[in-house]
Amino acid sequence: LSTVVSQVSQDDDSVTIETSDGETYTAEYVLSTASIGVLQQGDIVFDPPFSSSKIEAIMQQKIALYTNIFIKFADAEEPFWDETEWIIYADKRPRYWPLFQNLNVIFPGCNILHVTTLGEEAERIELLSNEEVQGEIMGVLRTMYGESIPDPTAIIVPR
């Protein structure tokens, strides 16, 4: 609902959600998809509170930055990459552009590669321009598939 949840209260019959803008919602059941980071920060008050074992489990989880980048190549071009869904790159540098997903397997003809990076590499990449990100990705792809592969027509780098 594009609204910040501030409290979740539960009794034997229902669950009540209170939002930061004062709205209240009541339901028989609620499915929470709050991130581990939100739970660790205590941004949502749960009543009754979580057990100490649940709190301990939540606090032991580590949050890792995970960045998904999408690069599109011309529709008229035949993909230069492998036909498999997952393409793995192993560089000497840990987590340096390790995973490419061929979205043509899911959406035939889209000519999009989904590139995943995480942890410290994702943090580093967030500071780069889209052009620098594209340059690094294309450097890896040209290492794997040769220097003559085309440049992408579009890139999406969420930050």
Side-chain angles (χ1 to χ4, degrees), residues 19-37:
T19 65
S20 61
D21 61 2
E23 293 290 324
T24 301
Y25 303 89
T26 302
E28 194 172 336
Y29 300 98
V30 171
L31 174 65
S32 174
T33 59
S35 73
I36 198 74

Side-chain angles (χ1 to χ4, degrees), residues 6-135:
S6 57
Q7 183 164 339
V8 178
S9 302
Q10 179 180 350
D11 61 29
D12 291 337
D13 301 319
S14 64
V15 180
T16 301
I17 305 294
E18 295 178 32
T19 65
S20 61
D21 61 2
E23 293 290 324
T24 301
Y25 303 89
T26 302
E28 194 172 336
Y29 300 98
V30 171
L31 174 65
S32 174
T33 59
S35 73
I36 198 74
V38 168
L39 295 176
Q40 287 174 340
Q41 290 296 317
D43 293 340
I44 302 172
V45 174
F46 290 89
D47 181 27
F50 291 145
S51 67
S52 59
S53 62
K54 281 186 184 176
I55 292 171
E56 183 179 346
I58 289 168
M59 299 312 281
Q60 287 179 350
Q61 299 299 311
K62 290 189 178 191
I63 298 175
L65 187 58
Y66 184 90
T67 301
N68 295 297
I69 299 164
F70 298 88
I71 52 174
K72 178 164 180 48
F73 294 85
D75 289 334
E77 305 233 3
E78 194 63 30
F80 56 81
W81 55 84
D82 299 308
E83 293 181 15
T84 61
E85 183 174 356
W86 297 100
I87 304 162
I88 297 172
Y89 177 70
D91 194 83
K92 291 179 182 176
R93 185 168 150 187
R95 293 180 291 285
Y96 185 75
W97 303 110
L99 189 60
F100 296 79
Q101 183 181 18
N102 174 8
L103 293 186
N104 281 342
V105 172
I106 302 167
F107 306 106
C110 70
N111 279 2
I112 296 174
L113 286 175
H114 167 210
V115 190
T116 302
T117 189
L118 52 125
E120 292 171 1
E121 274 300 299
E123 289 179 27
R124 181 187 68 81
I125 289 160
E126 282 197 349
L127 301 176
L128 300 178
S129 68
N130 286 5
E131 293 77 21
E132 291 170 313
V133 171
Q134 179 175 312

